[in-house]
Amino acid sequence: MAPFISRRLRKGAATTAVAAAAMAALTASQAPGVVSTDHGDRNQEQRAGEPAPDDTPIDGGSSYHTDLPPLVTPDKPGSSTDLPGLPGGSSIKPEAGIPASVLAAYKKAEAALRESNPGCNLPWQLLAAIGKVESGQARGGNVDAGGTTVSPILGPVLDGNGFALIKDTDGGAYDGDSAHDRAVGPMQFIPSTWASWGRDGNGDGKKDPNNIYDAALAAGSYLCAGGRDLSVKAHLDRAILGYNHSQEYLNTVLSWFEYYKRGTHEVPDGAGVLPANGGSGGGSGSGNKGSGKDGGKGKDQGKGKEENAHTLPKPSDENGNSTPTPTPKPGSGDETPGSPTPKPPTTPPPGTPSGPGKLTAVGARELSATAGTNFARSPQVKAVDAAGKPVAGVRVKYEILGETGARFLGLVRSATVPTGADGTATAPKLHAGEKTGAFTVRATAVGQEVAPVEFAATVKARPVPQADALARLDDKELTAPAGGSFAGPLTVTATNKGKATAGVPVTATMLTSAEHPDPADKGPYFLDGAGKPVRTLTALKTDASGQLTLPEIRTGDQTGTFLLRLTTEGGAVLDIELTVTQADAA
């Protein structure tokens, strides 16, 4: 039995006829390839020759928002406006606004997968459509500066009571439930699926399903799995059904996908349009089985079609062909060859903040770090208006200027971050790189006539590890005949205050004698990289265990006793005698 669907309905957004059709489609979908395990309903859509990414839909068959994009309904006064860019409609639609961090995460995931899996052809609008249906774009963009949800977004308990039965797989680590799993985060991953498909989308070294950057990249990777090409309609449908195996879910996602492809605009975090139920809960809202006060059943269920019902569109016909989409009228000024993209807005979308009066630095404007490490603090600025009050939603672009190996997380030289409610925007974690020296980080307000703020950054050389003692691992005498080499490896350990020390530079020099510590010009020698004899080596370092094994030592043709001296930063000195004997006559 496939999991039931708990619908998030708004007035005039679904009908009992739609519900019946959706359930009929869901029942019909239970063909060979739909499997069940001891964790309950784990629906798997699998075609011959195409391995499924996993045996469990990403959201575990949880509830989801069924709000639909605005459609043209001229015969119904007061109905929603049309799609963006279509004739007769406003050029700006609140429903087309996507919160800044959420939109950035979708586009970042698209860019990452374009590089790692170019054959997938993942459009960010598909992630936006799924994010809209799963969590209302992270509850209207209710995320912090790093893209992590301010409060948990949890789907319903998957205990088999109206939903799939999925026993706990994460010990409650993600969903706080040690008995059953729940879908988690803005893209609604169940913990067992996140364990396999979790990604680090923002480069902070963690895979967090509550972070929109991590969740968007993970969702994109899942949709691209199995060699799918999402520009192919059949592949696209199968990918979406792998998220939630329901024809109604597929239709709803495709509706928003087409809507977003016609045009979107960025709105400040927290200013996105919430689903009809306010998006106050998880997963698809509160995690309750019902959608609305009647528990998802609808008080008029079974009594025929609701008045002013808003029926689901048909994104494809029975043969799998895409339904033609309306195009702008010629000469309207909105047409673009090949695709009906909207005219750029001439006025800011609702909720767009007024420009800041200035940007000011928060904390010190001088930063420093050791090569190869992260800076202890990231540049941070605050946007304020003319009255000195903080301005939220200002897009602040941080750029690294100058010759340096320093990069923001993700190995990028620039990153754009929106200001929060307190007006501050913090740059991503800054990695120093290996190149020492000074560089500048500049913060500017995107699209605003505001003076930039610059931070002076310095990368310092790594401190040189020191050792106060060197010792051989054995005390075997080193004797060999002329014209040969000393047998066996010569290994030493460097310690500092009795502790083995890694990375200690060691210099090895052949000397005439202890009484005359001048570099020798005859006797034992090493070979350099070109195979030429050398009697001094400086590019030596102890390994992670504090040990150093010297290269092969050749005896040379001169007999006698010679001295090999090893020295380190910190004052350690070790003298080793090398004896060269007469070669055998044979």
Side-chain angles (χ1 to χ4, degrees):
M1 177 81 178
F4 290 100
I5 304 299
S6 174
R7 300 169 180 80
R8 304 291 176 190
L9 306 179
R10 67 181 178 185
K11 184 177 180 180
T15 70
T16 55
V18 170
M23 293 310 297
L26 187 57
T27 303
S29 72
Q30 298 182 59
V34 176
V35 298
S36 178
T37 72
D38 62 332
H39 282 248
D41 291 330
R42 290 192 169 193
N43 298 322
Q44 175 180 358
E45 189 210 31
Q46 188 171 5
R47 304 292 197 274
E50 180 193 8
D54 195 358
D55 65 349
T56 307
I58 281 186
D59 67 6
S62 296
S63 57
Y64 57 87
H65 296 291
T66 58
D67 297 43
L68 297 174
L71 299 177
V72 178
T73 52
D75 58 331
K76 298 183 183 299
S79 59
S80 296
T81 55
D82 56 281
L83 295 173
L86 294 181
S90 169
S91 62
I92 296 178
K93 304 293 186 294
E95 294 88 343
I98 300 178
S101 293
V102 179
L103 181 60
Y106 296 151
K107 292 184 176 181
K108 184 177 178 67
E110 178 196 56
L113 287 163
R114 186 188 305 121
E115 181 175 346
S116 64
N117 191 354
C120 173
N121 294 306
L122 171 77
W124 66 261
Q125 292 91 340
L126 177 59
L127 295 175
I130 292 174
K132 176 69 174 181
V133 171
E134 291 290 342
S135 69
Q137 308 298 19
R139 292 181 183 153
N142 188 26
V143 297
D144 63 19
T148 301
T149 56
V150 175
S151 58
I153 301 178
L154 298 175
V157 178
L158 300 176
D159 57 2
N161 185 18
F163 300 101
L165 171 62
I166 302 181
K167 298 176 184 177
D168 176 65
T169 60
D170 66 332
Y174 291 124
D175 54 19
D177 192 327
S178 59
H180 298 91
D181 274 346
R182 302 174 70 175
V184 179
M187 300 303 282
Q188 287 292 277
F189 276 84
I190 54 173
S192 58
T193 308
W194 184 260
S196 300
W197 291 93
R199 297 291 187 269
D200 178 13
N202 60 358
D204 64 356
K206 298 184 294 183
K207 300 176 182 179
D208 183 1
N210 299 296
N211 182 277
I212 185 59
Y213 291 94
D214 294 358
L217 181 58
S221 300
Y222 187 99
L223 294 167
C224 287
R228 291 194 183 105
D229 179 355
L230 299 181
S231 65
V232 177
K233 183 65 167 62
H235 289 202
L236 174 66
D237 287 356
R238 286 199 289 271
I240 297 171
L241 287 170
Y243 219 107
N244 189 315
H245 198 87
S246 157
Q247 186 65 36
E248 183 187 12
Y249 180 87
L250 172 65
N251 290 349
T252 307
V253 169
L254 287 175
S255 297
W256 282 105
F257 179 41
E258 292 299 323
Y259 182 73
Y260 286 139
K261 284 198 299 182
R262 289 184 174 87
T264 62
H265 58 265
E266 179 183 295
V267 299
D269 287 346
V273 174
L274 294 174
N277 65 355
S280 59
S284 314
S286 64
N288 298 326
K289 291 182 293 179
S291 54
K293 64 182 179 180
D294 295 314
K297 296 180 181 180
K299 63 181 180 179
D300 295 323
Q301 184 171 355
K303 294 184 180 181
K305 189 172 182 179
E306 283 186 77
E307 184 179 359
N308 296 326
H310 194 59
T311 58
L312 287 167
K314 296 180 179 179
S316 61
D317 60 24
E318 59 184 5
N319 296 319
N321 298 318
S322 298
T323 302
T325 54
T327 57
K329 293 180 180 179
S332 66
D334 292 340
E335 66 270 19
T336 299
S339 64
T341 53
K343 183 189 294 183
T346 56
T347 57
T352 300
S354 59
K358 63 177 179 177
L359 294 180
T360 60
V362 177
R365 296 175 64 170
E366 295 183 355
L367 313 172
S368 65
T370 301
T373 67
N374 289 332
F375 281 79
R377 59 176 294 268
S378 296
Q380 186 180 55
V381 297
K382 184 174 184 178
V384 296
D385 60 18
K389 295 181 179 180
V391 181
V394 177
R395 299 179 64 217
V396 176
K397 183 177 182 180
Y398 288 97
E399 297 177 274
I400 297 173
L401 308 177
E403 294 296 327
T404 177
R407 296 292 185 271
F408 294 119
L409 282 180
L411 300 180
V412 295
R413 293 185 69 105
S414 66
T416 301
V417 182
T419 58
D422 62 351
T424 63
T426 304
K429 185 70 72 174
L430 184 61
H431 184 72
E434 296 296 333
K435 183 179 178 64
T436 59
F439 64 96
T440 300
V441 178
R442 177 180 295 166
T444 56
V446 178
Q448 305 287 343
E449 294 294 333
V450 177
V453 175
E454 292 189 348
F455 297 82
T458 304
V459 178
K460 301 177 181 178
R462 298 172 186 262
V464 178
Q466 298 187 352
D468 54 20
L470 285 169
R472 288 181 58 187
L473 292 188
D474 61 59
D475 56 1
K476 181 177 65 174
E477 292 185 1
L478 297 176
T479 303
S485 59
F486 292 90
L490 174 56
T491 303
V492 298
T493 300
T495 57
N496 191 47
K497 298 180 180 179
K499 184 178 180 180
T501 308
V504 176
V506 178
T507 299
T509 307
M510 298 293 180
L511 302 179
T512 303
S513 66
E515 293 76 16
H516 303 284
D518 300 319
D521 57 2
K522 57 185 177 181
Y525 60 89
F526 302 103
L527 294 177
D528 64 12
K532 297 180 180 180
V534 293
R535 291 183 170 84
T536 299
L537 292 178
T538 58
L540 303 173
K541 284 187 179 181
T542 58
D543 61 17
S545 61
Q547 295 183 354
L548 168 67
T549 298
L550 289 155
E552 180 186 26
I553 303 175
R554 301 291 182 92
T555 60
D557 297 329
Q558 186 76 29
T559 61
T561 299
F562 301 89
L563 192 68
L564 169 62
R565 175 166 290 176
L566 306 178
T567 58
T568 72
E569 290 285 340
V573 178
L574 176 64
D575 288 342
I576 302 172
E577 283 192 350
L578 304 173
T579 301
V580 180
T581 61
Q582 189 70 36
D584 293 339

